[in-house]
Amino acid sequence: MPSTLAKERTLDDQYHTFLHDVIHGLRQAQKTLPCKYFYDARGSRLFEEICLLDEYYLTRTEYSILRSSGKSIAEALSTYTEIIEPGAGSCQKVQLLLKQLPTLPRYIPLEISVDALEHAITTLKERFPTLRVQPVAGDFTAQACLDEVSTLCQSGRRLVFFPGSTIGNFNRTEALGVLRSLKALAGPTGALLLGADLIKDRQRLLAAYDDKRGVTAEFNKNILRRINHDLNANFDVDDGFKHRAIFNEGLSRIEMQLVACREQTVNVAGEKMDFHRGEVIHTENSHKYSEQSIAELASAADMEIHRAWKDPQGDFGVFLLGQK
């Protein structure tokens, strides 16, 4: 793990990046905030609560695929010598793979939250004592972080593990860029194991992002709480903004928004941001795919689907993408 000084530098860099991204996003004609900033300690706890909701099928369905198809997936991965996981978080899902791959030499998690990474590594070392774990603290969307991971990689076959339908948070151009970056990270003999949420009944989709208990609303609003806390802002989180989720048919995606309840001016680290009543801050996209659209996206990145595993209802898919 990074030294105390290195950790302080990482946190300082993250503060300035966070501030830049927030100011830049809120100065756009369509105000936006990057969804990666949902995940401070409180946001992570709220997301864990979301994952347990009846309406939120994504996480438990992906877990069920990794469990029920674990042996089949492990057979397909048996020749790989290291797993790289961008945005590793708590490293829970990868443990289902590691249990099926007891002789895997090495695992490289990449995670923006240093605290989350440290906690996850402690757990991994206890559960998989023979596994060599080499963590990297950073943002996988930054090429410099991927370059740092590449310097750790050895000559064997690499598997990049990208679960959680994180690919759905990016528009097509961005998603194609992510796939190309991860393909390069995997190397010429490597592959990508990708989790993707599949198209389904619209009401089920909407309910998953706007639950009856309001946990998702709190999760969405938490980005404003984090900005208040970390960037010395004064958003009126409770009464100034409300959560809204819509399905964009043309782009096949859920869009999460924060809608201003009244005209107001917010101060963010000395910068004034004006909002009119009904103005929207776009906080997250979650694109939904068919197997065909995954195949088309992979093809545009010079990859193809080698194997696919789905749940019986076809709600979610885990796709092994490799060289054409």
Side-chain angles (χ1 to χ4, degrees):
M1 293 304 298
S3 66
T4 300
L5 180 58
K7 183 176 179 179
E8 288 176 354
R9 287 175 177 168
T10 299
L11 292 174
D12 188 55
D13 289 344
Q14 289 177 2
Y15 168 84
H16 288 292
T17 301
F18 185 20
L19 178 60
H20 171 271
D21 290 349
V22 168
I23 297 297
H24 176 75
L26 294 180
R27 291 219 175 276
Q28 302 306 303
Q30 167 57 75
K31 291 181 170 64
T32 64
L33 289 171
C35 63
K36 63 185 177 182
Y37 294 121
F38 284 142
Y39 298 96
D40 62 354
R42 183 174 184 269
S44 296
R45 288 194 300 270
L46 284 168
F47 184 69
E48 289 175 2
E49 189 174 347
I50 287 170
C51 291
L52 300 176
L53 295 169
D54 290 341
E55 296 98 327
Y56 197 80
Y57 59 85
L58 287 84
T59 302
R60 64 173 174 267
T61 305
E62 187 173 30
Y63 269 113
S64 73
I65 295 169
L66 294 173
R67 289 192 185 99
S68 62
S69 301
K71 290 184 179 179
S72 174
I73 295 172
E75 288 173 1
L77 306 183
S78 61
T79 60
Y80 292 89
T81 57
E82 56 191 2
I83 294 177
I84 304 164
E85 185 176 6
S90 62
C91 301
Q92 291 295 316
K93 289 173 186 172
V94 76
Q95 293 183 47
L96 297 177
L97 297 181
L98 296 175
K99 288 177 182 177
Q100 298 288 343
L101 299 166
T103 62
L104 183 83
R106 194 158 65 146
Y107 168 60
I108 303 175
L110 172 58
E111 170 57 40
I112 195 170
S113 170
V114 175
D115 291 337
L117 196 55
E118 288 178 338
H119 178 74
I121 298 318
T122 299
T123 301
L124 285 170
K125 288 182 176 179
E126 291 173 353
R127 295 180 181 176
F128 305 95
T130 64
L131 179 69
R132 186 180 180 191
V133 180
Q134 290 187 266
V136 175
D139 181 355
F140 73 83
T141 63
Q143 187 59 46
C145 290
L146 297 182
D147 291 343
E148 182 180 351
V149 173
S150 293
T151 64
L152 299 176
C153 294
Q154 298 177 339
S155 58
R157 298 188 74 197
R158 308 169 195 163
L159 177 80
V160 177
F161 184 43
F162 201 53
S165 202
T166 304
I167 194 67
N169 294 145
F170 303 96
N171 65 38
R172 180 177 170 80
T173 300
E174 293 166 341
L176 181 56
V178 168
L179 283 194
R180 285 173 172 161
S181 294
L182 298 184
K183 175 177 177 268
L185 184 60
T189 63
L192 170 63
L193 190 65
L194 175 74
D197 193 21
L198 303 178
I199 297 169
K200 58 185 63 64
D201 176 78
R202 301 301 183 262
Q203 289 307 310
R204 285 190 65 209
L205 287 173
L206 286 169
Y209 295 86
D210 193 11
D211 62 279
K212 293 179 181 178
R213 288 175 49 197
V215 182
T216 311
E218 277 301 306
F219 176 69
N220 196 12
K221 286 184 170 186
N222 189 65
I223 197 169
L224 302 183
R225 295 188 193 279
R226 183 178 180 187
I227 294 169
N228 282 352
H229 181 270
D230 293 355
L231 302 181
N232 193 30
N234 63 343
F235 281 98
D236 182 353
V237 179
D238 293 325
D239 299 320
F241 293 84
K242 63 182 179 181
H243 165 74
R244 183 166 70 191
I246 64 170
F247 188 77
N248 185 321
E249 291 283 352
L251 296 174
S252 189
R253 72 188 188 191
I254 291 285
E255 297 178 2
M256 288 220 308
Q257 304 172 346
L258 291 167
V259 184
C261 298
R262 63 177 185 277
E263 186 174 325
Q264 55 195 289
T265 298
V266 177
N267 187 301
V268 181
E271 297 278 345
K272 290 185 177 181
M273 304 290 174
D274 294 323
F275 294 84
H276 60 75
R277 187 173 184 272
E279 189 170 9
V280 167
I281 307 174
H282 190 134
T283 55
E284 185 179 42
N285 294 320
S286 186
H287 291 80
K288 308 305 172 183
Y289 293 93
S290 64
E291 184 165 350
Q292 179 62 33
S293 62
I294 288 290
E296 291 170 356
L297 185 64
S299 180
D302 294 320
M303 304 174 80
E304 64 183 5
I305 299 174
H306 287 184
R307 294 285 304 275
W309 299 269
K310 301 177 188 176
D311 62 288
Q313 290 73 38
D315 285 342
F316 200 95
V318 176
F319 300 91
L320 182 63
L321 307 182
Q323 302 287 343
K324 285 185 177 180

